[in-house]
Amino acid sequence: MAASSISPRRLANKAGRAAARELGPQAPADARRRSVLDAARTAFFELGMDKTSMREIAQRAGYTVGALYSYFASKEEVYGALLAESLERLNDSVERAAAGRRSEAERVQRAATAFFDFYRENPRDLDLGFYLFQGMKPRGLTPQLNEQLNARLRAALQPTQDALQALGLPSKLALAEVTALFAHTVGLLVLSHTGRIRMFKQGSRELFDAYLGQLLSRATGGQEA
Amino acid sequence: MAASSISPRRLANKAGRAAARELGPQAPADARRRSVLDAARTAFFELGMDKTSMREIAQRAGYTVGALYSYFASKEEVYGALLAESLERLNDSVERAAAGRRSEAERVQRAATAFFDFYRENPRDLDLGFYLFQGMKPRGLTPQLNEQLNARLRAALQPTQDALQALGLPSKLALAEVTALFAHTVGLLVLSHTGRIRMFKQGSRELFDAYLGQLLSRATGGQEA
Amino acid sequence: MAASSISPRRLANKAGRAAARELGPQAPADARRRSVLDAARTAFFELGMDKTSMREIAQRAGYTVGALYSYFASKEEVYGALLAESLERLNDSVERAAAGRRSEAERVQRAATAFFDFYRENPRDLDLGFYLFQGMKPRGLTPQLNEQLNARLRAALQPTQDALQALGLPSKLALAEVTALFAHTVGLLVLSHTGRIRMFKQGSRELFDAYLGQLLSRATGGQEA
Amino acid sequence: MAASSISPRRLANKAGRAAARELGPQAPADARRRSVLDAARTAFFELGMDKTSMREIAQRAGYTVGALYSYFASKEEVYGALLAESLERLNDSVERAAAGRRSEAERVQRAATAFFDFYRENPRDLDLGFYLFQGMKPRGLTPQLNEQLNARLRAALQPTQDALQALGLPSKLALAEVTALFAHTVGLLVLSHTGRIRMFKQGSRELFDAYLGQLLSRATGGQEA
DNA sequence: CATGAATGAGAGTTCATTCAT
DNA sequence: GATGAATGAACTCTCATTCAT
């Protein structure tokens, strides 16, 4: 306990921030913001919403609590950024799935399933969405951010909608179908995530496939699926 | 502390509890438990889950905090009771809708719609369900209570399932359809409740009707809906 | 949940109080006081001091909390009565051990060992003693009660002191020896009870016997032990 | 909440913490930890264990409750640190007493008496020891800390044990004697502290000296004491 | 930018005690 | 005597946020 020694805690912190700095001297703030976000995501995925405090995030990021407020104005802003990131991953996943030369029917099936699977495999992203889209006022979810997030959410459904239109559905109907599909997807995910679907002894994946089959049947007038 | 003085606090309490006592001298404990529950529901509906503390509930009920613990062992037990009550109302609503002499198709339509409408009109009951069915362990949501609540939820869907079977669907298929319907319902409600459905410029009621129409069409083999 | 039913809780309570009433119509209050005390002792022995609340005692005794205050003015008075009882048992034990025709040396040995063993075998009685003899002012440990308890404690040591005098020790010395013995006993018990004696890899019983042997050796001038 | 106003509370805090800061700019955290500990000790010595709450400690230290938790993870950790400190003082006292060139017999006498006197003069340190060595699990008294505290306790008795061995006692016997001495010491202290020894009209110091005399007599085979 | 100390409000829970009935 | 409802103060602990340095 000599006065000149450095506590292990401190060392860990310094090590923890190394990655952020190694990304280069330009835009170091962005990189550090990232590292905070990474810590937040990890914490949130491990501990869930309630138990993820600013302290916890700071600790994992290798910062002190106060430092977080250099990058984010509030806890909710952190979650806002987290959700933005999550939606980016969602879009990547959907785009990757729908890419390539395929029939439009297959494109519908692949895009929609990618959306479903993304949340089925990452239920914490679902939590994230609900948390922010539900209750959050003070500072975090500004109208601008809200608009932006909505746009990214819509974007993730766009490939499906486009493919439905390409299959011959009029745009109004395509929109209605994609909205219904979105709802069905969310419903299945929520029920699955809260364990309610087990009580019906059903599997969420099978139900999703069935719904998708019916949708495609409607869209192709019974010619395809 | 003069014997003749009554603290203002005390007066407020007495006034606050008047309703509970007017229900008659028999079973006053039940009435008081009710009044706590009413306060809790009101608080919860106004402020939401997070901001509804035991203190808040006590204040609204006209009790001190400690008194609540005569009626409920924990905050979570309060919410458990609240959800039980909510599910009772749901079941009442569904039963009332499905009662009377009707065709089976209409019975499906009415039971399912009652379920949907219950939560559409009382979105806080939806929150309640999610809150408890998601995270809550320590004391409040015992396995028994959980089982019991699940049973009530299932019961609210039973009339629909029965009617589907009466329409000729084999029991396995009826179960699958009712589960899918449940998911669709929840999905629409959640999207509607979180304001996400507006961004598609769709109405949740129309989408629900459409889904139900398709379901009935499947169930009657195209003869009815 | 019919209004006319009696809760199991209530039944248990009524059953719990049966014993107290069966002791006859005369002095029923004393019997009930006893039953409260029994409950308190059981609770205290099972749960320890901290976790034994008036609620707990009332529950075990089959009374409501308020009823306890008919018999005892405060929680501390309950413990006072409990300690009185404990000291009675201690005295019984010591007297029984010292009874019968024996040599004075054996009388010393038996009386002292009985004292030691009583607390060694019932460490909760030791807790009781410490709790009350240490901190307790408000209402529970009145000077009278304190005096009375002291008298019973002295009484439990008296046989040893008498026997020492009978062995030839002048009264002043006998008193000093018995006080030292008392201290040694308490020290060993406390160390044993708090697990500190294990860390010396010693047994409290052996140490006690050794001390007693030395004492007897001193008392008999080396002729006996 | 004007920007220029300072709440009286704040002023009090600043005044309260003055001492800690005067210790110099280096290691201020340690100094503040100290000041909390000082407040805790004072509170504990004045009010006793039960009535010393974190609030009380915070108030005396000039902090808010939350601030305490920067320094100690729990109330029990505070007491752990307090006991550690106490044992350090005990060891200092014993070492100082036994230092210097002396006969082994005198060394025994001085070390043992220092131990006894430390607790006789600071009875609250005795309470501290009992409190922690008895009941305390959750967070504060980790096995490691327990072990460490035990080691310090043993260390305080080691000089006596060493001197006894130097006097010619085989190590096993020296250990037994030191354990018995420890018990005797504790017994006398406890009886004295709880006022029980007065009822025998004895002085704890005289009794201690007598015991020590006998011990030395045994150890030197009657040649010295 | 970052630190680290501190705030202050609030959380759920417990409990001895009181008192109208 | 006994009930049972209620009080009110106390408890430990947590947390987002602020700010002087």
Side-chain angles (χ1 to χ4, degrees):
Chain A
M1 304 275 182
S4 62
S5 75
I6 298 182
S7 77
R9 171 83 202 283
R10 199 142 189 155
L11 270 172
N13 291 355
K14 294 204 167 169
R17 263 171 286 147
R21 302 244 169 91
E22 274 166 17
L23 294 175
Q26 78 283 29
D30 261 35
R32 280 175 242 177
R33 204 181 133 102
R34 262 235 101 87
S35 81
V36 170
L37 234 40
D38 286 348
R41 199 185 45 250
T42 315
F44 170 59
F45 275 48
E46 269 179 38
L47 310 173
M49 199 101 255
D50 303 346
K51 313 218 155 169
T52 299
S53 61
M54 290 298 264
R55 259 174 180 70
E56 182 66 40
I57 296 172
Q59 218 158 66
R60 286 170 183 250
Y63 285 99
T64 51
V65 218
L68 298 192
Y69 286 84
S70 308
Y71 302 110
F72 301 93
S74 70
K75 192 193 182 185
E76 284 153 11
E77 206 179 286
V78 175
Y79 282 114
L82 225 47
L83 178 55
E85 207 192 54
S86 165
L87 289 171
E88 232 45 59
R89 273 181 283 125
L90 169 66
N91 272 279
D92 284 356
S93 189
V94 170
E95 270 168 37
R96 230 173 318 143
R101 289 203 154 250
R102 310 180 193 279
S103 73
E104 295 302 337
E106 197 183 349
R107 199 182 290 279
V108 168
Q109 188 261 328
R110 295 196 125 234
T113 303
F115 190 106
F116 177 78
D117 281 346
F118 177 79
Y119 283 113
R120 195 174 54 107
E121 287 161 15
N122 309 290
R124 291 296 193 185
D125 286 278
L126 200 64
D127 291 348
L128 210 41
F130 280 140
Y131 183 53
L132 271 139
F133 281 137
Q134 223 166 75
M136 243 205 193
K137 320 271 156 68
R139 249 185 297 272
L141 196 61
T142 59
Q144 297 101 307
L145 178 58
N146 193 31
E147 206 49 54
Q148 179 192 327
L149 296 178
N150 275 344
R152 298 310 291 148
L153 189 56
R154 284 243 39 189
L157 290 163
Q158 199 62 48
T160 307
Q161 189 174 340
D162 291 346
L164 281 173
Q165 281 187 250
L167 272 176
L169 260 65
S171 74
K172 265 194 147 176
L173 188 54
L175 180 60
E177 283 287 8
V178 92
T179 312
L181 171 65
F182 181 31
H184 205 84
T185 303
V186 165
L188 285 170
L189 289 166
V190 162
L191 258 42
S192 181
H193 188 26
T194 57
R196 286 321 107 180
I197 226 164
R198 258 175 308 164
M199 85 193 191
F200 294 92
K201 290 168 185 154
Q202 305 286 315
S204 65
R205 202 36 181 0
E206 289 73 33
L207 289 170
F208 179 76
D209 289 342
Y211 183 84
L212 200 53
Q214 287 159 18
L215 167 55
L216 280 174
S217 170
R218 279 198 298 279
T220 58
Q223 292 169 349
E224 285 216 28
Chain B
M1 302 274 184
S4 61
S5 78
I6 296 182
S7 75
R9 181 76 206 279
R10 200 143 188 154
L11 269 172
N13 290 355
K14 292 203 169 171
R17 267 170 277 142
R21 270 189 246 214
E22 274 165 19
L23 296 176
Q26 77 281 30
D30 264 34
R32 273 171 262 194
R33 205 182 132 102
R34 263 236 102 88
S35 82
V36 170
L37 233 42
D38 287 348
R41 201 183 42 249
T42 314
F44 168 59
F45 277 43
E46 271 178 37
L47 309 174
M49 201 98 253
D50 302 347
K51 314 221 155 168
T52 298
S53 62
M54 290 300 265
R55 269 170 177 75
E56 179 69 37
I57 295 172
Q59 220 156 60
R60 286 170 182 249
Y63 286 100
T64 50
V65 206
L68 297 193
Y69 287 85
S70 314
Y71 301 110
F72 300 93
S74 69
K75 191 193 182 185
E76 286 156 11
E77 206 179 286
V78 175
Y79 283 113
L82 227 46
L83 177 55
E85 209 192 52
S86 165
L87 289 171
E88 232 44 58
R89 274 182 282 126
L90 168 66
N91 271 279
D92 284 354
S93 190
V94 169
E95 270 169 37
R96 231 174 315 138
R101 290 202 152 249
R102 311 180 192 280
S103 73
E104 295 302 337
E106 196 183 351
R107 200 182 290 278
V108 168
Q109 188 262 327
R110 296 196 124 235
T113 304
F115 190 106
F116 177 77
D117 281 345
F118 176 81
Y119 282 114
R120 194 174 54 105
E121 288 160 15
N122 308 289
R124 288 298 193 182
D125 286 278
L126 200 63
D127 292 348
L128 209 41
F130 281 141
Y131 183 52
L132 270 140
F133 281 138
Q134 224 165 74
M136 245 206 194
K137 315 278 156 62
R139 251 187 292 274
L141 196 61
T142 59
Q144 296 102 306
L145 179 57
N146 194 32
E147 206 50 54
Q148 179 192 325
L149 296 178
N150 276 344
R152 297 311 290 150
L153 189 56
R154 284 243 38 189
L157 291 163
Q158 199 62 48
T160 307
Q161 189 175 341
D162 290 346
L164 282 173
Q165 281 188 249
L167 273 175
L169 259 66
S171 72
K172 267 193 144 174
L173 188 53
L175 180 60
E177 283 288 7
V178 93
T179 312
L181 171 65
F182 181 31
H184 205 84
T185 302
V186 165
L188 285 170
L189 289 166
V190 162
L191 259 41
S192 181
H193 187 25
T194 57
R196 287 320 108 180
I197 226 164
R198 261 174 305 165
M199 83 194 195
F200 292 92
K201 291 172 185 149
Q202 305 286 315
S204 66
R205 203 31 172 23
E206 289 72 33
L207 290 169
F208 179 77
D209 289 342
Y211 182 85
L212 199 52
Q214 288 158 19
L215 167 56
L216 279 173
S217 170
R218 279 198 298 279
T220 58
Q223 291 168 347
E224 285 215 31
Chain C
M1 303 273 184
S4 62
S5 75
I6 298 182
S7 76
R9 170 86 202 283
R10 200 140 188 159
L11 270 172
N13 289 356
K14 295 204 166 169
R17 263 171 285 145
R21 301 244 170 92
E22 274 166 18
L23 294 175
Q26 78 282 28
D30 262 35
R32 281 176 242 177
R33 205 181 133 101
R34 262 235 102 89
S35 79
V36 171
L37 234 42
D38 287 348
R41 198 183 47 248
T42 315
F44 169 60
F45 275 47
E46 270 179 37
L47 310 173
M49 199 101 255
D50 303 346
K51 313 218 156 169
T52 299
S53 60
M54 290 299 263
R55 259 173 179 69
E56 182 67 39
I57 295 172
Q59 218 158 65
R60 287 170 182 248
Y63 285 99
T64 50
V65 217
L68 298 193
Y69 286 85
S70 308
Y71 302 111
F72 301 93
S74 69
K75 191 191 183 186
E76 285 153 11
E77 207 180 286
V78 175
Y79 282 114
L82 226 47
L83 177 55
E85 207 193 55
S86 165
L87 289 171
E88 233 44 58
R89 274 181 283 125
L90 168 66
N91 273 279
D92 284 355
S93 189
V94 170
E95 270 168 37
R96 230 173 317 140
R101 290 201 151 251
R102 310 180 193 280
S103 74
E104 294 304 336
E106 196 183 350
R107 198 181 291 280
V108 167
Q109 187 262 329
R110 297 196 123 235
T113 304
F115 190 106
F116 177 76
D117 281 346
F118 177 79
Y119 284 113
R120 194 175 53 106
E121 288 160 14
N122 309 289
R124 291 294 194 185
D125 286 278
L126 200 63
D127 291 348
L128 210 41
F130 280 139
Y131 183 52
L132 270 139
F133 281 137
Q134 224 165 74
M136 244 206 193
K137 320 273 158 64
R139 249 186 296 272
L141 195 63
T142 59
Q144 296 100 308
L145 179 57
N146 193 32
E147 206 51 54
Q148 177 194 329
L149 296 178
N150 275 345
R152 297 310 291 149
L153 190 56
R154 284 241 39 188
L157 291 163
Q158 199 62 49
T160 307
Q161 189 175 341
D162 290 347
L164 282 173
Q165 282 188 249
L167 273 176
L169 260 65
S171 72
K172 266 193 146 176
L173 189 52
L175 179 60
E177 283 288 9
V178 92
T179 312
L181 171 65
F182 181 31
H184 206 85
T185 303
V186 165
L188 285 170
L189 289 166
V190 162
L191 258 42
S192 182
H193 187 25
T194 57
R196 286 322 105 180
I197 226 164
R198 259 174 308 164
M199 85 193 195
F200 293 92
K201 290 170 186 155
Q202 304 288 314
S204 65
R205 202 37 177 11
E206 289 71 33
L207 290 169
F208 179 77
D209 289 341
Y211 183 85
L212 199 52
Q214 288 158 19
L215 167 55
L216 280 173
S217 171
R218 278 196 299 278
T220 58
Q223 292 169 345
E224 284 215 32
Chain D
M1 300 276 184
S4 61
S5 79
I6 297 182
S7 75
R9 179 77 205 280
R10 200 142 189 155
L11 270 172
N13 290 355
K14 293 203 168 171
R17 266 170 279 144
R21 274 193 240 205
E22 273 165 19
L23 295 175
Q26 77 281 29
D30 263 33
R32 273 172 262 194
R33 204 182 133 103
R34 264 235 101 89
S35 81
V36 171
L37 232 41
D38 286 348
R41 200 183 43 249
T42 314
F44 168 59
F45 276 44
E46 270 179 37
L47 309 174
M49 202 99 254
D50 302 347
K51 315 222 154 169
T52 299
S53 62
M54 290 300 263
R55 262 173 179 70
E56 180 68 38
I57 296 172
Q59 220 155 60
R60 286 169 181 249
Y63 287 99
T64 50
V65 202
L68 298 192
Y69 286 85
S70 315
Y71 302 109
F72 301 94
S74 68
K75 190 192 182 185
E76 285 155 10
E77 205 178 286
V78 175
Y79 282 113
L82 227 47
L83 177 55
E85 208 192 54
S86 165
L87 289 171
E88 232 45 59
R89 273 181 283 126
L90 168 66
N91 272 279
D92 284 356
S93 188
V94 170
E95 270 168 38
R96 228 173 318 139
R101 291 203 153 252
R102 310 179 193 280
S103 74
E104 295 303 336
E106 196 182 350
R107 199 182 289 279
V108 168
Q109 188 262 329
R110 296 197 124 236
T113 304
F115 190 106
F116 177 77
D117 281 345
F118 177 80
Y119 283 114
R120 193 174 54 105
E121 288 160 14
N122 309 288
R124 289 297 193 182
D125 287 278
L126 200 63
D127 292 348
L128 210 41
F130 281 140
Y131 184 53
L132 270 139
F133 281 138
Q134 224 167 73
M136 244 204 194
K137 317 275 157 65
R139 252 188 292 273
L141 196 61
T142 59
Q144 296 101 308
L145 179 57
N146 194 33
E147 206 51 53
Q148 179 192 327
L149 296 178
N150 275 344
R152 298 309 290 148
L153 189 56
R154 284 242 41 188
L157 291 163
Q158 199 63 48
T160 307
Q161 189 174 342
D162 290 346
L164 281 174
Q165 282 187 249
L167 273 175
L169 259 64
S171 73
K172 267 193 144 176
L173 188 53
L175 179 60
E177 283 288 9
V178 93
T179 311
L181 171 65
F182 181 31
H184 205 85
T185 303
V186 165
L188 285 170
L189 289 166
V190 162
L191 258 40
S192 181
H193 187 25
T194 57
R196 288 320 107 180
I197 225 163
R198 259 173 308 164
M199 83 194 194
F200 293 92
K201 291 171 184 149
Q202 305 287 313
S204 64
R205 201 36 179 5
E206 290 71 34
L207 289 170
F208 178 77
D209 289 342
Y211 183 85
L212 200 51
Q214 288 158 18
L215 167 55
L216 280 173
S217 170
R218 280 198 298 279
T220 58
Q223 291 168 348
E224 284 215 31

